[in-house]
């Protein structure tokens, strides 16, 4: 789409005010009664109809090539019917699985990244293959170049969970989240954190079906946090978590210890080294 020019996007936006013509798209049952309340809709696909001159082209992509397209608009029952017709489910369960898969694809832009296989499951009668649960904050990376610069050697195995949340900057190098384990990294604004050589093994999160609350019932499952390794840094500054084995071990839990090494604001090396064998940092 051309931005400038007589028939460009900017000129079209100024002329139309961004208004796309509305239409009614009713859905009927077999007996011609309404399946759901009819509503007015505006479709982005109708944008070419606003153009006055110029040419319009279209590109068709395979569904699998467009991971970002994962609408959540069908009930569990409707999703099952869609799948029987050979269509995508487009429900809460499939949307969440697609979300994790997209973030896994994003993480693969880094160097030497291995993402484990999917776990098959049935949620509200719908078969879903759940990938490792990877959630990346926008502050972690916005474009592929950000991931390339911040990720060097990361493995997230089948059934594992990796969550990077908060406003800080995080770099990962030689990090392994073992099968079924969970690693959560939380940073505050102004935090610069390097995570180096961690191997995480704990009880992790478990997907349970069916859900309990109304939202979980629609979702088809709930996620129970049994255990996690939580790296939490809230105060502004530069930190590093040094190589260690963050395995969950009840017998050694009482022997947990930590040695922080913090240098000044103008530090030119590792500003904090945490040596810990424990179940959770929070």
């Amino acid at each position: 789409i051309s931005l400038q020019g007589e028939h460009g996007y900017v000129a079209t936006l100024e002329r139309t005010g961004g208004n796309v013509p509305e239409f009614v798209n009713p859905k009927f049952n077999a007996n011609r009664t309404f399946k759901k309340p009819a509503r007015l809709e505006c479709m982005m696909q109708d944008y070419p109809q606003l153009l006055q001159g110029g040419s319009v082209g279209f590109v068709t992509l395979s569904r699998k090539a467009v991971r970002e397209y994962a609408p959540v608009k069908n009930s569990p029952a409707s999703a099952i019917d869609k799948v029987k017709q050979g269509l995508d489910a487009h429900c809460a369960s499939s949307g969440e699985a697609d979300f994790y898969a997209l973030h896994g694809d994003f993480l693969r832009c880094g160097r030497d990244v291995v993402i484990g296989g999917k776990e098959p499951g049935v949620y509200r009668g719908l078969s879903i293959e759940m990938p490792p649960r990877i959630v990346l904050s926008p502050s972690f990376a916005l474009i592929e170049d950000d991931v390339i610069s911040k990720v060097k050697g990361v493995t997230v195995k089948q059934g594992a969970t990796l969550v990077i949340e908060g406003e800080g900057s995080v770099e990962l190098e030689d990090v392994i989240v073992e099968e079924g384990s969970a690693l959560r990294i939380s940073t505050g604004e102004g935090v610069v954190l390097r995570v180096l050589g961690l191997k995480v093994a704990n009880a992790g999160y478990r997907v349970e079906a069916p859900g309990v609350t109304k939202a979980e019932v629609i979702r088809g499952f709930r996620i129970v946090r049994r255990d996690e390794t939580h790296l939490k840094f809230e105060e502004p500054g530069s930190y590093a978590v040094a190589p260690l084995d963050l395995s969950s071990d009840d017998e050694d839990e009482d022997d947990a210890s930590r040695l922080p090494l913090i240098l000044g604001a103008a530090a030119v090396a590792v500003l904090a080294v945490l040596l810990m064998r424990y179940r959770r940092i929070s």
Side-chain angles (χ1 to χ4, degrees):
I1 298 176
S2 174
L3 292 178
Q4 304 300 326
E6 181 181 359
H7 306 299
Y9 182 76
V10 174
T12 302
L13 191 62
E14 291 176 346
R15 175 171 49 81
T16 64
N19 294 317
V20 177
E22 299 172 333
F23 74 104
V24 179
N25 185 20
K27 302 292 193 302
F28 295 101
N29 293 309
N31 60 0
R32 302 303 292 173
T33 59
F34 284 114
K35 180 180 294 186
K36 61 182 68 174
R39 62 186 184 274
L40 289 174
E41 297 184 30
C42 298
M43 300 182 68
M44 63 180 182
Q45 299 95 308
D46 287 346
Y47 167 77
Q49 297 183 26
L50 302 178
L51 300 178
Q52 295 179 344
S55 58
V56 177
F58 294 89
V59 177
T60 301
L61 299 174
S62 165
R63 168 66 181 85
K64 294 182 179 180
V66 191
R67 178 85 74 189
E68 297 86 346
Y69 181 71
V72 175
K73 61 180 183 178
N74 294 323
S75 67
S78 296
I80 293 175
D81 291 338
K82 295 290 184 182
V83 172
K84 290 179 179 178
Q85 298 172 32
L87 303 174
D88 290 321
H90 289 169
C91 64
S93 302
S94 63
E96 185 160 344
D98 285 342
F99 178 86
Y100 296 141
L102 171 62
H103 282 227
D105 289 345
F106 200 32
L107 196 65
R108 284 190 180 94
C109 294
R111 287 185 279 175
D112 300 322
V113 174
V114 178
I115 307 297
K118 298 180 179 180
E119 291 183 305
V122 179
Y123 310 109
R124 294 291 302 275
L126 187 67
S127 295
I128 298 291
E129 292 188 337
M130 188 67 68
R133 291 170 290 279
I134 299 174
V135 180
L136 307 176
S137 167
S139 62
F140 172 70
L142 290 176
I143 60 177
E144 292 182 4
D145 286 349
D146 293 339
V147 182
I148 293 172
S149 66
K150 293 184 175 183
V151 177
K152 303 171 186 176
V154 173
T155 298
V156 184
K157 297 187 178 181
Q158 186 179 51
T161 302
L162 171 64
V163 178
I164 300 178
E165 59 188 5
E167 300 300 321
S169 174
V170 178
E171 295 183 19
L172 304 177
E173 184 172 345
D174 297 329
V175 174
I176 300 175
V177 185
E178 293 287 2
E179 184 172 344
S181 302
L183 170 62
R184 181 159 63 104
I185 302 173
S186 306
T187 57
E189 186 174 357
V191 170
V192 178
L193 172 64
R194 296 185 66 198
V195 183
L196 311 170
L198 295 189
K199 182 178 180 182
V200 177
N202 52 46
Y205 299 175
R206 179 177 65 245
V207 177
E208 292 185 350
V212 177
T213 67
K214 183 176 181 179
E216 290 171 346
V217 170
I218 295 174
R219 185 190 198 186
F221 58 86
R222 64 176 180 154
I223 294 180
V224 179
R225 295 185 180 184
R226 294 181 295 180
D227 195 8
E228 65 178 6
T229 294
H230 188 191
L231 307 179
K232 186 177 182 180
F233 295 83
E234 296 179 319
E235 295 298 323
S238 297
Y239 307 88
V241 176
L244 70 167
D245 183 352
L246 291 178
S247 301
S248 180
D249 189 336
D250 292 337
E251 294 181 358
D252 296 337
E253 185 176 0
D254 294 335
D255 297 331
S257 62
R258 177 170 63 179
L259 175 63
L261 301 179
I262 305 178
L263 305 181
V268 293
V270 175
L271 297 176
V273 179
L274 306 178
L275 300 179
M276 182 177 296
R277 185 177 182 81
Y278 63 141
R279 294 182 64 181
R280 182 176 300 175
I281 302 175
S282 61

